[in-house]
Amino acid sequence: MNIIFLGPPGAGKGTQSKLLEAHYGIAQISTGDMLRAEVAAGSPLGQKVKSIMASGQLVPDDLIIALIEARIDRPDCAKGFILDGFPRTRAQAEALDSMLKKTGRHIDLVLLLDVDEDALADRIAGRFTCAKCGEGYNDLYKRPKVEGTCDVCGGHEFVRREDDRRETVAARLKAYREQTAPILPYYEEQGRLCRIDGMADIDDVTKQVFAAVDAITKK
């Protein structure tokens, strides 16, 4: 089962992808995580994309496709994969389909998290994580139970992603509206798109997601 999660940045794609991964045993692939790992490693590629990511712009298509092709060849993708936040343009969608066809794979389901952009801006700008274990928090929706102390590991250092700044968020949402939203008809025409109410409670969103996946696996 190969799945794509679409939706504006901060819609909850990462959260739902991890739940899918745990429930169905298929690997979550976050292109953002792959790129951030390159930045953290200080590789030539990481240095190249650092400024692009910080400004909220899109990384070149051929680079992303190459990263994905290498990633899905790993053993943990034997049962399938979940692409979190990719493709972001119709050109990427077509390039992804072409690459998958070449390797004997295809996309089974495209899940779209429908959300309110104004609420998203507040959600994204308020995000921060524990520097030690990576547990996620939010200024408005999920603060640590004990202020300044991670609920999971007890760490006291927290970090915020540079591309979560409010001005960068605005650029990312603009890019989504202009470039990603137009690819929805591409998947609708193929009968692979399923819309999910992303403004519902997390548990309700998860139920919708699992129901959509189960419907495909039973066909």
Side-chain angles (χ1 to χ4, degrees), residues 130-163:
C130 173
K132 184 177 180 181
C133 72
E135 179 68 9
Y137 298 94
N138 190 283
D139 291 327
L140 298 177
Y141 309 110
K142 183 189 175 184
R143 298 198 63 83
K145 295 176 183 177
V146 177
E147 193 66 26
T149 302
C150 177
D151 298 343
V152 176
C153 72
H156 300 291
E157 184 179 351
F158 298 89
V159 295
R160 296 177 186 268
R161 282 170 42 181
E162 188 175 356
D163 56 346

Side-chain angles (χ1 to χ4, degrees), residues 21-184:
E21 179 180 40
H23 188 76
Y24 293 94
I26 52 181
Q28 180 212 16
I29 301 175
S30 168
T31 53
D33 287 347
M34 287 192 293
L35 291 168
R36 281 188 288 275
E38 294 290 340
V39 171
S43 67
L45 171 60
Q47 294 174 10
K48 181 177 180 180
V49 303
K50 183 177 181 179
S51 61
I52 299 175
M53 292 176 62
S55 65
Q57 299 304 305
L58 299 176
V59 176
D61 296 355
D62 57 345
L63 174 60
I64 298 293
I65 294 294
L67 281 171
I68 292 172
E69 185 172 9
R71 178 67 182 85
I72 63 178
D73 276 341
R74 296 182 186 176
D76 64 340
C77 291
K79 292 184 178 180
F81 59 82
I82 306 160
L83 274 176
D84 170 8
F86 185 91
R88 294 181 176 179
T89 67
R90 185 175 182 117
Q92 289 178 345
E94 293 172 346
L96 176 64
D97 277 347
S98 178
M99 182 271 287
L100 291 175
K101 184 177 181 180
K102 183 178 64 177
T103 60
R105 300 179 176 93
H106 65 275
I107 296 300
D108 297 288
L109 178 65
V110 179
L111 296 165
L112 170 66
L113 292 179
D114 274 328
V115 293
D116 177 81
E117 285 194 12
D118 290 334
L120 268 189
D122 291 334
R123 182 190 300 177
I124 298 172
R127 295 192 302 196
F128 59 99
T129 59
C130 173
K132 184 177 180 181
C133 72
E135 179 68 9
Y137 298 94
N138 190 283
D139 291 327
L140 298 177
Y141 309 110
K142 183 189 175 184
R143 298 198 63 83
K145 295 176 183 177
V146 177
E147 193 66 26
T149 302
C150 177
D151 298 343
V152 176
C153 72
H156 300 291
E157 184 179 351
F158 298 89
V159 295
R160 296 177 186 268
R161 282 170 42 181
E162 188 175 356
D163 56 346
D164 279 350
R165 292 176 301 159
R166 188 168 290 276
E167 58 269 28
T168 305
V169 170
R172 291 164 66 194
L173 289 175
K174 183 174 183 291
Y176 173 79
R177 286 194 305 272
E178 294 179 351
Q179 299 181 39
T180 304
I183 75 172
L184 301 183

Side-chain angles (χ1 to χ4, degrees), residues 182-204:
I183 75 172
L184 301 183
Y186 176 77
Y187 290 119
E188 283 182 317
E189 291 164 5
Q190 298 171 353
R192 292 187 282 178
L193 184 71
C194 178
R195 295 176 181 271
I196 303 293
D197 178 10
M199 297 308 294
D201 292 337
I202 291 179
D203 289 345
D204 289 336

